[in-house]
Amino acid sequence: MDEEAAPKRGKNGPKFHCLPHSTQGSARMGTRKKVHTFVRVKPTDDFAHEMIKYGDDNKSIDIHLKKDTRRGVVNNQQTDWSFKLDGVLHNASQDLVYETVAKDVVAQALDGYNGTIMCYGQTGAGKTYTMTGTTENYKHRGILPRALQQVFRMIEERPTHAITVRVSYLEIYNESLFDLLSTLPYVGPSVTPMTIVENPQGVFIKGLSVHLTSQEEDAFSLLFEGETNRVIASHTMNKNSSRSHCIFTIYVEAHSRTLSDEKYITSKINLVDLAGSERLGKSGAIIALGDQKREHIPFRQCKLTHALKDSLGGNCNMVLLTNIYGEAAQLEETLSSLRFASRMKLVTTEPAINEKYDAERMVKNLEKELALLKQELAIHDSLANRTLVNYDPMDEIQIAEINSQVRRYLEGTLDEIDIINLRQIQEVFNQFRVVLSQQEQEVESALRRKYTLIDKNDFAAISAVQKAGLVDVDGHLVGEPDGQGFGLGVTPFSAKPGKKSKSKKTFKEQLSSSARKEGASSPVSGKELDVSTSKTQLTPSSKEGDVKDMTIRERETSSLEPLPSDSPKEELRPPRPSTPPPKPVAFEDFKNERGSEINRIFKENKSILNERRKRASETTQRINAIKRQMDVTKEALNFQKSLREKQGEYENKGLMIIDEEEFLLILKLKDLKKQYRTEYQDLRDLRAEIQYCQHLVDQCRHRLLTEFDIWYNESFFIPEDLQVALKPGGSIRPGMVPVSRIMSLGEDAQDKFSQLQQVVLPEGPDSVAFYNAKVKTEQKHNYLKTMMGLQQAHRK
Ligand code: ADP
Ligand code: MG
């Protein structure tokens, strides 16, 4: 298994004492940097001048071994080494060391860069002295207290920012983690051992206490607390201090005091006092870091490198300070330390600022900006002379108004929807969608009321319907020629019978075709039978007049051929009622159903007839008016003539001389005569047309009544087996049945019943059954009579 597999997220356990360090959100990638390496030589009276030499720029150390001394000490033949470094600190004060090694790193931490300063070297070479210094002597204080001092000093110099400082102090001994600040009363002993946790924000130590310090003094107290614990622990736990790594971490978080700045930075400074290098030989990662050939650094191999994983190399400023002895006796270890330092010098890092965003501030800033933009809009509106436009989210009433606008727009009662603002446009589109889906639902539910809709994907339902024989395999309704149904349906009883195109022929069309030459011969009937409105027309009185003597003609032009007997639609008729409906009621039904087409043609023809009659009467009026004018003109002319005769006639070469007035009257009369003739001709034509129209209207009325009676009897009286005989191809053609015979069917009985009801019902409801039975008997009697008549007619 690869040790450096993807970092695992820490479980949501108890609260973390350690601030996560962010590696995310790093911005402003700096240029690539090398690890800064310095060497600090521990002051000694016995400095090996002949063996250790510094370069003129103080940036290199040359080591020279005498031949005799190196036998048995160094295996190779090399006697001279030169190490390039960033600086050699010889007899340097703590102050100078800090200035050289740490100052920049700490300064940059306040700008958001992580920094790591490590002291490496042989036990006793001065690592702890360099890092912590002496706690008794202020002058000899080390990097840790100085770094804290610098941080607080810089905070004071940056009043524009609210900067918080936290510290933690971790000791790693024998691969175990110890919190050097856990002895503080408010921390308490850790229940669970600390663990190193990696998450997308970085690496942190779960269980390590992190302490907020608002001033220098607090920070120093924490430092001393930690140092004391180091010493005590080394005694009580019998620790060998040279084997422990100590990591003092300063966490910085800087928020701008300018609230509009929602960015903030975080950083941490790791100050690492490593275990003696003679013990470090085998602990891989620190060594591996300096190994250029190694691409893979086994950070997690030991706790130290794991804990510092995001602080070694990578995006932080990194300093390695190598502490060496200056004595010849320690040269072997010194050489080894310098080798490591020079290797580390080659490691590159890419420091970057850890920039984050304050979500709360961002929301506040956006709110502010929003308010500002609204004000701006209001100014724009008033400048553009726009009436108060509201940019707030819409309430229910406003949305309902838009919905109604959209509906009116779709209906066509609203020509356009005024654009007010973006929000309103969005709501208009939204309401379009709402209205559309409502309409879809309405259409579907309307269809459901009328038809049984089956989901095309519902195979079980389809096969059930197929079994019932209602649909073919393609899901089309049986008997539906185009099969363009949207679903499966059952045609309701009221559906119109199939129409032939010729059945739609109206009077106009007939008039323009061969109709005229037939020569309209039927007399104009003065009686108009209004079948569309007045029910009294179908009561016995009218029946006596118009209906009874009607004969059926032109059956071949029928638009109402009965449906084929095998049509499934025929089978869907509801059962017959025990009592037939009154004829006027049935007639209304008939006109809406089977008789709708002939009724339509009848009404159309009638309206044309009426129109022609109106024209004829207008023409007659005009003719009369012309006639009167002619009479007046004639009289005037006669008067002029008599005047002329009285005055004596003038003749000139056989021509009569008349005055202008008489001449104008003659012209007028001539003109009137011409008009009269034209109008008279028109009237004659119109009369012929009226005659013809009357004929067609009569025919239509006959047809309508005839068909109605056939339908009425079929529907309520004639047994089904006889109906088969009456159908085309059957033994009896309905067109040959004398209407008067069929008309007699039921009608008398029905009328009698109606009359009876009026007379008898006051006797009480119990009488109804009695009279019903009576009516039925009479109906049956009538029926038998009619059937006999039918058979006689057929025989003829
Ligand atoms: P390390 O931590 O590397 O094992 P120490 O820092 O404990 O070594 O140093 C060992 C001793 O040497 C200490 O007593 C320390 O005070 C002293 N010492 C180390 N470096 C210096 C120095 N530059 N100046 C004065 N004393 C030093
Ligand atoms: Mg030490």
Side-chain angles (χ1 to χ4, degrees), residues 40-43 92 94 121-130 134 242 273 323:
R40 184 180 195 186
V41 187
K42 188 182 170 183
Q94 293 283 65
Q122 197 179 347
T123 301
K127 300 185 292 296
T128 304
Y129 180 81
T130 302
T134 57
S242 69
D273 184 356
N323 292 94

Side-chain angles (χ1 to χ4, degrees), residues 733-753:
R733 272 182 62 206
M736 295 170 72
V737 180
V739 183
S740 52
R741 302 287 175 86
I742 293 175
M743 286 301 293
S744 68
L745 267 173
E747 194 160 293
D748 289 340
Q750 183 58 48
D751 290 336
K752 276 180 191 165
F753 177 61

Side-chain angles (χ1 to χ4, degrees), residues 403 407 433-443:
N403 182 287
R407 280 178 195 281
R433 186 193 277 162
V434 169
V435 170
L436 183 70
S437 78
Q438 278 172 358
Q439 286 184 349
E440 278 173 355
Q441 280 174 12
E442 279 163 20
V443 167

Side-chain angles (χ1 to χ4, degrees), residues 508-576:
K508 272 185 209 155
E509 294 162 306
Q510 288 178 26
L511 200 68
S512 63
S513 66
S514 59
R516 261 183 195 274
K517 59 191 171 195
E518 282 180 29
S521 56
S522 319
V524 174
S525 167
K527 284 185 205 163
E528 247 313 296
L529 179 65
D530 189 356
V531 286
S532 61
T533 52
S534 173
K535 287 179 183 177
T536 57
Q537 298 291 344
L538 281 165
T539 53
S541 65
S542 74
K543 173 202 72 182
E544 291 300 319
D546 289 336
V547 184
K548 270 214 164 167
D549 298 327
M550 284 174 189
T551 52
I552 300 166
R553 281 183 295 162
E554 295 181 359
R555 183 71 206 171
E556 62 276 9
T557 62
S558 170
S559 63
L560 297 165
E561 280 161 24
L563 284 168
S565 61
D566 59 344
S567 164
K569 289 170 188 176
E570 199 69 17
E571 291 161 17
L572 292 167
R573 276 193 176 191
R576 282 180 178 183

Side-chain angles (χ1 to χ4, degrees), residues 481-676:
D482 54 5
Q484 282 173 345
F486 31 77
L488 305 172
V490 176
T491 312
F493 173 55
S494 62
K496 293 174 185 176
K499 296 170 209 157
K500 298 272 161 66
S501 59
K502 66 170 176 179
S503 73
K504 288 176 182 167
K505 223 175 185 181
T506 62
F507 169 63
K508 272 185 209 155
E509 294 162 306
Q510 288 178 26
L511 200 68
S512 63
S513 66
S514 59
R516 261 183 195 274
K517 59 191 171 195
E518 282 180 29
S521 56
S522 319
V524 174
S525 167
K527 284 185 205 163
E528 247 313 296
L529 179 65
D530 189 356
V531 286
S532 61
T533 52
S534 173
K535 287 179 183 177
T536 57
Q537 298 291 344
L538 281 165
T539 53
S541 65
S542 74
K543 173 202 72 182
E544 291 300 319
D546 289 336
V547 184
K548 270 214 164 167
D549 298 327
M550 284 174 189
T551 52
I552 300 166
R553 281 183 295 162
E554 295 181 359
R555 183 71 206 171
E556 62 276 9
T557 62
S558 170
S559 63
L560 297 165
E561 280 161 24
L563 284 168
S565 61
D566 59 344
S567 164
K569 289 170 188 176
E570 199 69 17
E571 291 161 17
L572 292 167
R573 276 193 176 191
R576 282 180 178 183
S578 56
T579 311
K583 268 203 166 182
V585 174
F587 189 64
E588 289 306 311
D589 286 343
F590 172 75
K591 279 193 294 184
N592 289 328
E593 289 168 28
R594 201 153 101 187
S596 68
E597 187 65 7
I598 185 78
N599 187 48
R600 186 183 68 76
I601 296 165
F602 172 72
K603 282 197 323 208
E604 200 172 330
N605 286 352
K606 230 171 64 181
S607 77
I608 293 165
L609 173 66
N610 286 337
E611 192 269 334
R612 294 292 191 279
R613 276 181 175 158
K614 201 177 151 213
R615 259 164 61 180
S617 104
E618 282 164 358
T619 309
T620 308
Q621 278 172 25
R622 276 201 302 279
I623 287 169
N624 288 339
I626 293 167
K627 188 79 174 54
R628 277 195 297 277
Q629 271 193 309
M630 279 167 74
D631 290 343
V632 170
T633 313
K634 267 183 195 160
E635 234 174 73
L637 203 61
N638 285 341
F639 177 70
Q640 287 287 329
K641 206 176 165 185
S642 66
L643 261 184
R644 178 164 45 87
E645 280 165 352
K646 275 181 200 164
Q647 289 167 355
E649 290 182 33
Y650 296 96
E651 265 189 32
N652 186 7
K653 292 175 191 169
L655 287 172
M656 197 164 50
I657 310 290
I658 52 172
D659 65 14
E660 205 184 359
E661 205 178 336
E662 198 180 347
F663 179 66
L664 285 172
L665 282 168
I666 291 166
L667 281 182
K668 194 183 176 187
L669 190 61
K670 204 179 161 191
D671 187 46
L672 283 167
K673 276 181 181 167
K674 197 180 159 195
Q675 278 184 43
Y676 184 86

